[in-house]
Amino acid sequence: MPADSYKTGTIVASKEDEAYAASFDLNASHGLHYTESYCLMKMLARLLVDIDISNVCERNSSIRSYIKGNELLLQNSDVEFEIVKDWLIIPIVYNEKNITLKLYADKLTSTQTGFDNMEGHKFEYFCADLLNRNGFKDVYITQGSGDQGIGIVAYKDEIKYGIQCKCYSSDVGNNAVQEVFAGKTFYGCHIGVVLTNQFFTKSAKELAKKNGVLLWDRRKLLELSENAKNSTL
């Protein structure tokens, strides 16, 4: 597959104090070109902003109307929408390629205290939204359990950040630092970051300092959350 082609993509769209997540999986041996991927992501963002996907009673008909009104998207009418692990699965055809759209079925609330009770991937999307609202660009989420120690890649001031998000009930230890240090190289990032809702152990701080990994603890997360309130995104 060419280096400028993509088989997956993810976007977080924001509306007022809520955020929504969407992604696509390409069911083909080749990927989408960058321009195709970018256009598809823009369409997904518009869908997320225009449609309340958490409204079970109305979302399916609303999404079908959106797809029907978009000349670039063709719904695969043979397959119904379905919920799989909180994702709304929508098969479509885009540029003659079979694609599976995945929309997160719940709103990702942006309250300062709400993040403590988020499970892993929801916290990750929440953090991606905060980064978007804090001036980071081209924010995207990597591939779940195969993320090689980096959950989010984002850019700011021409610096590529590789970020691992940890929603814990206790302080974060060495393992997260080791994962990010390895993942930073894998993804070709300039800086590796561990972002958490808690704090870090003394050992983790020492290891991070030695390996040049940034540690963003609860204070940084609250700062990002506060800045996001004033964002115009």
Side-chain angles (χ1 to χ4, degrees), residues 201-229:
T201 64
K202 179 180 178 181
S203 179
K205 292 177 183 178
E206 293 173 348
L207 184 63
K209 183 177 181 180
K210 185 74 172 180
N211 289 283
V213 172
L214 296 183
L215 301 182
W216 291 353
D217 61 20
R218 188 178 187 86
R219 291 166 295 188
K220 179 66 174 182
L221 187 62
L222 291 173
E223 177 187 326
L224 292 171
S225 183
E226 188 64 29
N227 291 343
K229 291 182 179 180

Side-chain angles (χ1 to χ4, degrees), residues 1 6-7 25-32 96-100:
M1 187 172 66
Y6 300 85
K7 291 197 69 175
D25 287 333
L26 186 63
N27 302 325
S29 58
H30 53 283
L32 288 177
E96 300 182 348
K97 298 180 178 74
N98 293 321
I99 292 177
T100 301

Side-chain angles (χ1 to χ4, degrees), residues 82-203:
E82 60 177 326
I83 293 289
V84 178
K85 293 184 179 179
D86 295 328
W87 290 92
L88 183 63
I89 309 299
I90 307 171
I92 64 167
V93 178
Y94 174 66
N95 285 358
E96 300 182 348
K97 298 180 178 74
N98 293 321
I99 292 177
T100 301
L101 300 184
K102 297 193 298 183
L103 308 181
Y104 198 80
D106 293 323
K107 299 174 184 177
L108 305 175
T109 56
S110 300
T111 59
Q112 283 192 353
T113 56
F115 51 67
D116 285 319
N117 296 318
M118 290 181 180
E119 54 82 34
H121 74 279
K122 191 168 185 176
F123 181 66
E124 206 165 55
Y125 287 111
F126 170 74
C127 292
D129 176 55
L130 290 186
L131 293 170
N132 269 313
R133 290 169 176 255
N134 277 267
F136 286 80
K137 305 297 182 183
D138 299 324
V139 180
Y140 71 89
I141 295 172
T142 60
Q143 296 304 300
S145 60
D147 63 12
Q148 300 293 338
I150 296 295
I152 299 173
V153 174
Y155 296 79
K156 192 171 187 179
D157 299 328
E158 299 184 357
I159 296 173
K160 184 177 182 180
Y161 290 80
I163 303 162
Q164 181 65 279
C165 304
K166 297 292 187 183
C167 190
Y168 281 3
S169 58
S170 59
D171 290 350
V172 179
N174 281 14
N175 285 347
V177 178
Q178 293 168 348
E179 290 172 0
V180 166
F181 181 71
K184 181 184 75 168
T185 301
F186 182 86
Y187 285 98
C189 298
H190 301 109
I191 296 176
V193 182
V194 183
L195 175 59
T196 183
N197 63 318
Q198 297 297 332
F199 296 91
F200 295 93
T201 64
K202 179 180 178 181
S203 179

Side-chain angles (χ1 to χ4, degrees), residues 9 27 40-41 44 63 65 68 77 89 135-136 157 200 205:
N27 302 325
L40 182 58
M41 289 292 97
L44 286 179
I63 292 172
S65 297
K68 185 176 180 180
S77 58
I89 309 299
F136 286 80
D157 299 328
F200 295 93
K205 292 177 183 178

